[in-house]
Amino acid sequence: MLLIGPPGAGKGTQAERLSEAFDVPAISTGDIFRFNVKNDTALGLQVKAFMDAGAYVPDSLTNEIVSDRLQKPDAVQGFLLDGYPRTQEQVLELDRLLEADGTALDAVVLIVADTEEVVARLLKRAAEQGRADDTADVIRHRLAVYEEQTAPLIDIYSSRGLVVTVDGLGAVDEVTGRILEALAQRGVAVPVTSGDAASAS
């Protein structure tokens, strides 16, 4: 499963909820990047300049990281990707990875949100968390980059009949409920063994 939406639409929060409900790992490229930047790893040094400028990390580097992560034992039975793919080249790479493993996507959850609401959310988060990559100018640049590079991916996945569109505004529980209901209508139901986690959402 993929989560797609503009920065600040709530993907990270919903990824955690869905990860618990479906008992699969939530894999966030942004979290992986920030962890490495914070710990001054070799990867962190490579991606820091891109993140500080509000630009995407190059496809080749991102693809390598995701490929490695999907080979981990906890992702064998399923996974949730948050923040990947973001470009058409990354879509093709993910197609190749899934085909090699004999698997396919069940759904692509598109979380939509008003632009000004997103900017306000990210500015608030920047103040709370002290994130240097979340200034007003960088946020608007990231949103512009999203529209230019990532929004076209929605058309690709829509043509495959995979997209489920959900309103990302409102209480966290409400949004989670919308996503689970929309997925269930597509036949992607929460496993019985994880029912308690889903009902808690």
Side-chain angles (χ1 to χ4, degrees):
M1 190 184 306
L2 306 182
L3 276 185
I4 292 180
K11 296 189 301 298
T13 299
Q14 295 304 325
E16 292 178 6
R17 295 290 190 92
L18 296 175
S19 170
E20 182 180 355
F22 287 95
D23 194 24
V24 296
I27 301 170
S28 164
T29 50
D31 286 348
I32 293 173
F33 292 153
R34 281 187 286 273
F35 172 84
N36 283 275
V37 169
K38 180 178 179 180
N39 290 277
D40 293 322
T41 66
L43 171 61
L45 294 175
Q46 291 183 68
V47 305
K48 187 176 188 304
F50 295 102
M51 292 181 65
D52 285 348
Y56 283 160
V57 176
D59 287 343
S60 57
L61 185 57
T62 306
N63 288 338
E64 181 180 345
I65 291 166
V66 172
S67 176
D68 178 69
R69 180 62 183 87
L70 293 184
Q71 301 308 311
K72 303 297 184 186
D74 67 336
V76 171
Q77 297 301 319
F79 56 83
L80 174 67
L81 281 171
D82 165 19
Y84 181 95
R86 282 182 166 174
T87 66
Q88 294 185 53
E89 174 55 39
Q90 290 178 9
V91 169
L92 295 176
E93 178 62 19
L94 181 59
D95 286 345
R96 287 191 287 267
L97 291 173
L98 294 176
E99 184 177 358
D101 289 338
T103 59
L105 292 174
D106 291 312
V108 175
V109 178
L110 171 61
I111 300 179
V112 296
D114 177 74
T115 298
E116 294 309 312
E117 175 69 20
V118 164
V119 172
R121 280 186 184 182
L122 291 178
L123 286 174
K124 180 180 179 182
R125 185 174 73 181
E128 292 173 347
Q129 300 180 5
R131 289 170 58 156
D133 60 336
D134 278 355
T135 64
D137 287 343
V138 168
I139 288 170
R140 293 190 181 279
H141 176 66
R142 285 165 59 197
L143 290 171
V145 171
Y146 166 80
E147 288 297 333
E148 178 185 348
Q149 296 188 10
T150 308
L153 308 189
I154 298 165
D155 292 334
I156 295 176
Y157 287 121
S158 291
S159 70
R160 301 180 186 181
L162 291 171
V163 176
V164 173
T165 303
V166 177
D167 181 2
L169 296 183
V172 172
D173 288 349
E174 292 177 3
V175 178
T176 302
R178 290 176 203 148
I179 295 174
L180 292 176
E181 181 179 353
L183 288 172
Q185 291 176 356
R186 286 189 52 85
V188 183
V190 173
V192 175
T193 55
S194 299
D196 291 341
S199 61
S201 300

